Every structure is written in C-alpha cells, then in structure tokens.
Amino acid sequence: KMAGSSTPWIGSAYLFLQSTSKTVVLPSLYESSQKKPSVFRALKLALADSTGSMNGVDMLKVHCSHPQLIVQLKFCRQENCRRFLRSYREGVLQKSLQNHLQLSLAMTTVPLEVELKAGGEHLDNMLKDEDRCLECIYREKPDRLRDEEITELEEHLKSLTVHQSIINNVAVKDCAPLKSPPLPYPSQGSSLPLQGTFIFQGQQFDNRAITPDDHQKFAKLVSKKWKQVGRSLQKSCRALRDPVIDNLALEYDREGLYEQAYQLLLKFIQSEGKKATIARLIAALEENGLISVAEELLGLHSSEDCS
C-alpha cells in the first residue's frame, strides 16, 4: 500500500501546457492582469471536470516559463488522482482545457499540447500503468503551500460567479413577459397551451408542465450527470449556455449535486415558463441514457415500489 488508512494520501505533479498556435501564447495571457482571471477560471473548471469535483485537485502555483504554462498540482485523495489520470490519458482533460480557454478568452480555438511530470518522471510515457503513475505522484510531495496569488484568484472567481448569477437572474426577469407569474411553476388551475402528448418507450404520456415533485425527484436522482442534461436542454434553451452551467457548478459546489441539479432545472423553468414541459426534460434524460430517472418522473416505478 502506498499509504496507511490513517495517513492522508497526498501527492504532487506538474502539468505543462503549450499552445500550438503562434497567436496564442499562454504565459503572456497569464501575465496580463486583464486575462489572468480568465485563464485561471478555464484551468479551474477543466481540472474540476477531470476529477468530478471543484475540490478534487488543488492548484498550488502557476509558473510562466515561455512558451509553456506550468501548473503545480496537489492531490489529497488517491481516488481523485486516479480520475484525473484517466481523464488525462483519454484526452478528456486536454479537450476540456481547450473548450474552457476558448470560452473564457472568447477565442475561436486554443489548440494545446499537454505534458505531465512528477519529480524526474515523464508520466506521459507510462500512462497505461496507472498504479505506477500514482506511485510517482505519491512519492512527489508538494514543496510549497498554495501561492497567495492562487488564493486571490479563487476569491475573485467566487465573487465573479455570485455577481454573474445576480446578473443572469435580473436578465431572466427583464426578458420575462410583464404579466408572468412570480412563481416558477404554473398554477394548477391555469390551462396551458401544451403540445398534447409524447411517446416514451412505446407509451403515450401527457405533455404537462414540470411540477415541484418532478423538480425534487430530478435533483435527487440525476446525480453527476446534471451538467450533461443541462447541455442537452441548452439546444433549445438560450438561458443554459455553457458559462451559466459552469457558474452553477461553482456557485453551488459546497451544497452538492442535489442543489446544483435543482438550480439548473429552476433556471430552465424560470426562463422557459410554460414551454418548460416534461417532454423536453424526458428527451434530455433519454439523450444521456438516464432512462430510470425518466421512468421515475413519469411514475413508471411507483407500482413496483408499492408491491
């Protein structure tokens, strides 16, 4: 075993990033006081994607070593490190970084080359041997505490997220029709112009409004896939753009997956009003393979549960 059960599993690695585009020089962008928060935000969100949590990996320092940006990472749990390694090996982290940098910097594309090192070891050469990589990272203990600049950027990101959330809420209210009800759900007595029925697994269902009960069940059952469902809904809902989904992930990270999923659906209901139908939600769940969640919302499990 690399660590006893009473000892926390702590390891460190360095992530080297370099843009293959001559017009995008990452160290220069990070050295710019205007661009630095945007680059940091992209790094933070991509690392969160790779471990499934905002706290899965710590950034201790970002070094500018032209033409590379070097990020010193600290892992406090072996499971998080394992997830990160898989994400890195499969190219998911690289793609996520490219996407987040593209969004944060408002650029058309940010092509990247990535490299991972721990101590003197080039981990890219041994990625198929996951345990050996973990051992190298575990052997390499962090040689510093988190840089003050990183702490400041974290705080800036949190305040920006809250501010953006307020702006988004105001924007949604401003765009809403003047006579729209203040409640997120349509009143029970109102006759809604819904699109009749829809088919799910060969059965016909009424295309009704999403109820508070649906809302709670969705938040409870969708778990880690709430973001994917959000991205499916965003195809027909302008209020659920990627930055909005990322903001929800950051803002409600401490409250956990239930609250993140709850807030996502709340934003959908508030922005779409009477158009926020169960058919659209079921279609998004189906698209992401969440058939059991869809069945639960449509009451297909209730008879089995009672028996």
Side-chain angles (χ1 to χ4, degrees), residues 44 47-48 51-58 74-77 80 146 154 158 253-254:
K44 182 83 181 164
L47 288 168
T51 58
S53 161
M54 274 290 168
N55 309 314
V57 54
D58 262 347
K74 175 188 174 185
F75 298 92
C76 290
R77 286 180 58 196
N80 287 335
R146 185 195 285 187
E154 291 263 11
K158 280 178 191 167
D253 181 51
R254 288 188 179 178

PDB file of all heavy atoms in Angstrom, residues 44 47-48 51-58 74-77 80 146 154 158 253-254:
ATOM      1  N   LYS A  44      -9.245  26.061 -13.701  1.00  0.00           N
ATOM      2  CA  LYS A  44     -10.020  25.577 -12.546  1.00  0.00           C
ATOM      3  C   LYS A  44     -11.175  24.670 -12.991  1.00  0.00           C
ATOM      4  O   LYS A  44     -11.379  23.582 -12.439  1.00  0.00           O
ATOM      5  CB  LYS A  44     -10.557  26.786 -11.773  1.00  0.00           C
ATOM      6  CG  LYS A  44     -11.344  26.469 -10.528  1.00  0.00           C
ATOM      7  CD  LYS A  44     -10.458  26.222  -9.347  1.00  0.00           C
ATOM      8  CE  LYS A  44     -11.276  25.883  -8.107  1.00  0.00           C
ATOM      9  NZ  LYS A  44     -10.468  25.283  -7.068  1.00  0.00           N
ATOM     10  N   LEU A  47      -9.926  21.302 -14.599  1.00  0.00           N
ATOM     11  CA  LEU A  47      -9.443  20.377 -13.568  1.00  0.00           C
ATOM     12  C   LEU A  47     -10.616  19.787 -12.788  1.00  0.00           C
ATOM     13  O   LEU A  47     -10.608  18.623 -12.414  1.00  0.00           O
ATOM     14  CB  LEU A  47      -8.467  21.085 -12.621  1.00  0.00           C
ATOM     15  CG  LEU A  47      -7.088  21.413 -13.225  1.00  0.00           C
ATOM     16  CD1 LEU A  47      -6.314  22.352 -12.312  1.00  0.00           C
ATOM     17  CD2 LEU A  47      -6.289  20.139 -13.481  1.00  0.00           C
ATOM     18  N   ALA A  48     -11.639  20.614 -12.572  1.00  0.00           N
ATOM     19  CA  ALA A  48     -12.850  20.118 -11.880  1.00  0.00           C
ATOM     20  C   ALA A  48     -13.545  19.060 -12.730  1.00  0.00           C
ATOM     21  O   ALA A  48     -14.002  18.034 -12.228  1.00  0.00           O
ATOM     22  CB  ALA A  48     -13.795  21.275 -11.586  1.00  0.00           C
ATOM     23  N   THR A  51     -11.798  15.603 -12.384  1.00  0.00           N
ATOM     24  CA  THR A  51     -11.936  14.821 -11.148  1.00  0.00           C
ATOM     25  C   THR A  51     -13.384  14.682 -10.701  1.00  0.00           C
ATOM     26  O   THR A  51     -13.683  13.934  -9.774  1.00  0.00           O
ATOM     27  CB  THR A  51     -11.133  15.477  -9.991  1.00  0.00           C
ATOM     28  OG1 THR A  51     -11.608  16.811  -9.800  1.00  0.00           O
ATOM     29  CG2 THR A  51      -9.647  15.499 -10.281  1.00  0.00           C
ATOM     30  N   GLY A  52     -14.282  15.432 -11.337  1.00  0.00           N
ATOM     31  CA  GLY A  52     -15.698  15.380 -10.957  1.00  0.00           C
ATOM     32  C   GLY A  52     -16.019  16.227  -9.753  1.00  0.00           C
ATOM     33  O   GLY A  52     -17.107  16.146  -9.184  1.00  0.00           O
ATOM     34  N   SER A  53     -15.077  17.085  -9.330  1.00  0.00           N
ATOM     35  CA  SER A  53     -15.318  17.929  -8.153  1.00  0.00           C
ATOM     36  C   SER A  53     -14.444  19.167  -8.220  1.00  0.00           C
ATOM     37  O   SER A  53     -13.305  19.121  -8.699  1.00  0.00           O
ATOM     38  CB  SER A  53     -14.990  17.159  -6.876  1.00  0.00           C
ATOM     39  OG  SER A  53     -14.796  18.041  -5.787  1.00  0.00           O
ATOM     40  N   MET A  54     -14.971  20.279  -7.707  1.00  0.00           N
ATOM     41  CA  MET A  54     -14.193  21.520  -7.651  1.00  0.00           C
ATOM     42  C   MET A  54     -13.006  21.388  -6.700  1.00  0.00           C
ATOM     43  O   MET A  54     -12.046  22.144  -6.777  1.00  0.00           O
ATOM     44  CB  MET A  54     -15.086  22.682  -7.192  1.00  0.00           C
ATOM     45  CG  MET A  54     -15.840  23.323  -8.321  1.00  0.00           C
ATOM     46  SD  MET A  54     -14.756  24.247  -9.417  1.00  0.00           S
ATOM     47  CE  MET A  54     -15.842  24.544 -10.773  1.00  0.00           C
ATOM     48  N   ASN A  55     -13.105  20.449  -5.758  1.00  0.00           N
ATOM     49  CA  ASN A  55     -12.038  20.282  -4.769  1.00  0.00           C
ATOM     50  C   ASN A  55     -11.204  19.020  -5.008  1.00  0.00           C
ATOM     51  O   ASN A  55     -10.483  18.577  -4.129  1.00  0.00           O
ATOM     52  CB  ASN A  55     -12.644  20.237  -3.354  1.00  0.00           C
ATOM     53  CG  ASN A  55     -13.567  21.405  -3.100  1.00  0.00           C
ATOM     54  OD1 ASN A  55     -13.220  22.532  -3.412  1.00  0.00           O
ATOM     55  ND2 ASN A  55     -14.750  21.157  -2.565  1.00  0.00           N
ATOM     56  N   GLY A  56     -11.315  18.436  -6.206  1.00  0.00           N
ATOM     57  CA  GLY A  56     -10.616  17.179  -6.486  1.00  0.00           C
ATOM     58  C   GLY A  56      -9.112  17.317  -6.586  1.00  0.00           C
ATOM     59  O   GLY A  56      -8.366  16.393  -6.293  1.00  0.00           O
ATOM     60  N   VAL A  57      -8.665  18.486  -7.029  1.00  0.00           N
ATOM     61  CA  VAL A  57      -7.229  18.740  -7.160  1.00  0.00           C
ATOM     62  C   VAL A  57      -6.986  20.216  -6.865  1.00  0.00           C
ATOM     63  O   VAL A  57      -7.791  21.066  -7.232  1.00  0.00           O
ATOM     64  CB  VAL A  57      -6.716  18.341  -8.566  1.00  0.00           C
ATOM     65  CG1 VAL A  57      -7.500  18.995  -9.670  1.00  0.00           C
ATOM     66  CG2 VAL A  57      -5.237  18.657  -8.734  1.00  0.00           C
ATOM     67  N   ASP A  58      -5.887  20.499  -6.192  1.00  0.00           N
ATOM     68  CA  ASP A  58      -5.517  21.878  -5.850  1.00  0.00           C
ATOM     69  C   ASP A  58      -4.460  22.398  -6.806  1.00  0.00           C
ATOM     70  O   ASP A  58      -3.521  21.674  -7.144  1.00  0.00           O
ATOM     71  CB  ASP A  58      -4.911  21.927  -4.437  1.00  0.00           C
ATOM     72  CG  ASP A  58      -5.941  22.342  -3.404  1.00  0.00           C
ATOM     73  OD1 ASP A  58      -7.017  22.810  -3.804  1.00  0.00           O
ATOM     74  OD2 ASP A  58      -5.663  22.208  -2.200  1.00  0.00           O
ATOM     75  N   LYS A  74      -1.706  19.542  -6.595  1.00  0.00           N
ATOM     76  CA  LYS A  74      -1.648  18.760  -5.347  1.00  0.00           C
ATOM     77  C   LYS A  74      -2.912  17.915  -5.250  1.00  0.00           C
ATOM     78  O   LYS A  74      -4.030  18.416  -5.388  1.00  0.00           O
ATOM     79  CB  LYS A  74      -1.559  19.705  -4.134  1.00  0.00           C
ATOM     80  CG  LYS A  74      -1.605  18.980  -2.789  1.00  0.00           C
ATOM     81  CD  LYS A  74      -1.714  19.997  -1.653  1.00  0.00           C
ATOM     82  CE  LYS A  74      -1.920  19.308  -0.311  1.00  0.00           C
ATOM     83  NZ  LYS A  74      -2.154  20.294   0.773  1.00  0.00           N
ATOM     84  N   PHE A  75      -2.725  16.626  -5.011  1.00  0.00           N
ATOM     85  CA  PHE A  75      -3.853  15.696  -4.843  1.00  0.00           C
ATOM     86  C   PHE A  75      -3.919  15.251  -3.387  1.00  0.00           C
ATOM     87  O   PHE A  75      -2.894  14.865  -2.819  1.00  0.00           O
ATOM     88  CB  PHE A  75      -3.674  14.462  -5.740  1.00  0.00           C
ATOM     89  CG  PHE A  75      -3.650  14.783  -7.204  1.00  0.00           C
ATOM     90  CD1 PHE A  75      -2.448  15.037  -7.855  1.00  0.00           C
ATOM     91  CD2 PHE A  75      -4.825  14.840  -7.934  1.00  0.00           C
ATOM     92  CE1 PHE A  75      -2.412  15.336  -9.205  1.00  0.00           C
ATOM     93  CE2 PHE A  75      -4.801  15.140  -9.293  1.00  0.00           C
ATOM     94  CZ  PHE A  75      -3.586  15.390  -9.926  1.00  0.00           C
ATOM     95  N   CYS A  76      -5.118  15.290  -2.810  1.00  0.00           N
ATOM     96  CA  CYS A  76      -5.279  14.877  -1.411  1.00  0.00           C
ATOM     97  C   CYS A  76      -5.991  13.539  -1.277  1.00  0.00           C
ATOM     98  O   CYS A  76      -6.163  13.039  -0.168  1.00  0.00           O
ATOM     99  CB  CYS A  76      -6.036  15.949  -0.628  1.00  0.00           C
ATOM    100  SG  CYS A  76      -5.055  17.431  -0.403  1.00  0.00           S
ATOM    101  N   ARG A  77      -6.423  12.964  -2.401  1.00  0.00           N
ATOM    102  CA  ARG A  77      -7.061  11.647  -2.350  1.00  0.00           C
ATOM    103  C   ARG A  77      -6.645  10.836  -3.564  1.00  0.00           C
ATOM    104  O   ARG A  77      -6.613  11.344  -4.686  1.00  0.00           O
ATOM    105  CB  ARG A  77      -8.589  11.788  -2.333  1.00  0.00           C
ATOM    106  CG  ARG A  77      -9.140  12.272  -1.000  1.00  0.00           C
ATOM    107  CD  ARG A  77     -10.637  12.403  -1.030  1.00  0.00           C
ATOM    108  NE  ARG A  77     -11.288  11.146  -1.369  1.00  0.00           N
ATOM    109  CZ  ARG A  77     -12.557  11.046  -1.755  1.00  0.00           C
ATOM    110  NH1 ARG A  77     -13.300  12.113  -1.861  1.00  0.00           N
ATOM    111  NH2 ARG A  77     -13.081   9.874  -2.050  1.00  0.00           N
ATOM    112  N   ASN A  80      -9.259  10.689  -6.422  1.00  0.00           N
ATOM    113  CA  ASN A  80      -9.301  11.881  -7.280  1.00  0.00           C
ATOM    114  C   ASN A  80      -8.146  11.874  -8.274  1.00  0.00           C
ATOM    115  O   ASN A  80      -8.303  12.255  -9.437  1.00  0.00           O
ATOM    116  CB  ASN A  80      -9.235  13.154  -6.428  1.00  0.00           C
ATOM    117  CG  ASN A  80     -10.539  13.407  -5.701  1.00  0.00           C
ATOM    118  OD1 ASN A  80     -11.589  12.959  -6.133  1.00  0.00           O
ATOM    119  ND2 ASN A  80     -10.487  14.120  -4.597  1.00  0.00           N
ATOM    120  N   ARG A 146      -0.131  26.684  -0.971  1.00  0.00           N
ATOM    121  CA  ARG A 146      -0.751  27.366  -2.102  1.00  0.00           C
ATOM    122  C   ARG A 146      -0.256  28.814  -2.192  1.00  0.00           C
ATOM    123  O   ARG A 146      -0.197  29.523  -1.199  1.00  0.00           O
ATOM    124  CB  ARG A 146      -2.274  27.347  -1.939  1.00  0.00           C
ATOM    125  CG  ARG A 146      -2.993  27.939  -3.135  1.00  0.00           C
ATOM    126  CD  ARG A 146      -4.423  28.243  -2.817  1.00  0.00           C
ATOM    127  NE  ARG A 146      -5.218  27.023  -2.762  1.00  0.00           N
ATOM    128  CZ  ARG A 146      -6.546  27.042  -2.627  1.00  0.00           C
ATOM    129  NH1 ARG A 146      -7.174  28.187  -2.506  1.00  0.00           N
ATOM    130  NH2 ARG A 146      -7.221  25.919  -2.591  1.00  0.00           N
ATOM    131  N   GLU A 154      -8.868  32.569  -6.630  1.00  0.00           N
ATOM    132  CA  GLU A 154     -10.011  31.739  -6.174  1.00  0.00           C
ATOM    133  C   GLU A 154     -11.127  32.646  -5.656  1.00  0.00           C
ATOM    134  O   GLU A 154     -12.297  32.476  -5.989  1.00  0.00           O
ATOM    135  CB  GLU A 154      -9.563  30.787  -5.055  1.00  0.00           C
ATOM    136  CG  GLU A 154      -8.623  29.692  -5.504  1.00  0.00           C
ATOM    137  CD  GLU A 154      -9.346  28.385  -5.786  1.00  0.00           C
ATOM    138  OE1 GLU A 154     -10.587  28.385  -5.835  1.00  0.00           O
ATOM    139  OE2 GLU A 154      -8.651  27.365  -5.973  1.00  0.00           O
ATOM    140  N   LYS A 158     -14.920  33.295  -7.147  1.00  0.00           N
ATOM    141  CA  LYS A 158     -16.157  33.093  -6.367  1.00  0.00           C
ATOM    142  C   LYS A 158     -17.035  34.336  -6.416  1.00  0.00           C
ATOM    143  O   LYS A 158     -18.238  34.260  -6.637  1.00  0.00           O
ATOM    144  CB  LYS A 158     -15.817  32.750  -4.919  1.00  0.00           C
ATOM    145  CG  LYS A 158     -15.435  31.292  -4.717  1.00  0.00           C
ATOM    146  CD  LYS A 158     -15.070  31.025  -3.284  1.00  0.00           C
ATOM    147  CE  LYS A 158     -14.423  29.646  -3.154  1.00  0.00           C
ATOM    148  NZ  LYS A 158     -13.783  29.472  -1.848  1.00  0.00           N
ATOM    149  N   ASP A 253     -21.204  24.476  -5.481  1.00  0.00           N
ATOM    150  CA  ASP A 253     -20.294  23.350  -5.266  1.00  0.00           C
ATOM    151  C   ASP A 253     -20.370  22.827  -3.835  1.00  0.00           C
ATOM    152  O   ASP A 253     -20.404  21.627  -3.590  1.00  0.00           O
ATOM    153  CB  ASP A 253     -18.852  23.788  -5.591  1.00  0.00           C
ATOM    154  CG  ASP A 253     -17.864  22.639  -5.410  1.00  0.00           C
ATOM    155  OD1 ASP A 253     -18.106  21.548  -5.956  1.00  0.00           O
ATOM    156  OD2 ASP A 253     -16.874  22.812  -4.703  1.00  0.00           O
ATOM    157  N   ARG A 254     -20.399  23.737  -2.870  1.00  0.00           N
ATOM    158  CA  ARG A 254     -20.405  23.323  -1.451  1.00  0.00           C
ATOM    159  C   ARG A 254     -21.714  22.645  -1.053  1.00  0.00           C
ATOM    160  O   ARG A 254     -21.734  21.784  -0.188  1.00  0.00           O
ATOM    161  CB  ARG A 254     -20.170  24.535  -0.546  1.00  0.00           C
ATOM    162  CG  ARG A 254     -18.731  25.022  -0.622  1.00  0.00           C
ATOM    163  CD  ARG A 254     -18.438  26.071   0.393  1.00  0.00           C
ATOM    164  NE  ARG A 254     -17.056  26.501   0.318  1.00  0.00           N
ATOM    165  CZ  ARG A 254     -16.520  27.442   1.067  1.00  0.00           C
ATOM    166  NH1 ARG A 254     -17.247  28.066   1.953  1.00  0.00           N
ATOM    167  NH2 ARG A 254     -15.245  27.772   0.935  1.00  0.00           N
TER     168      ARG A 254
END
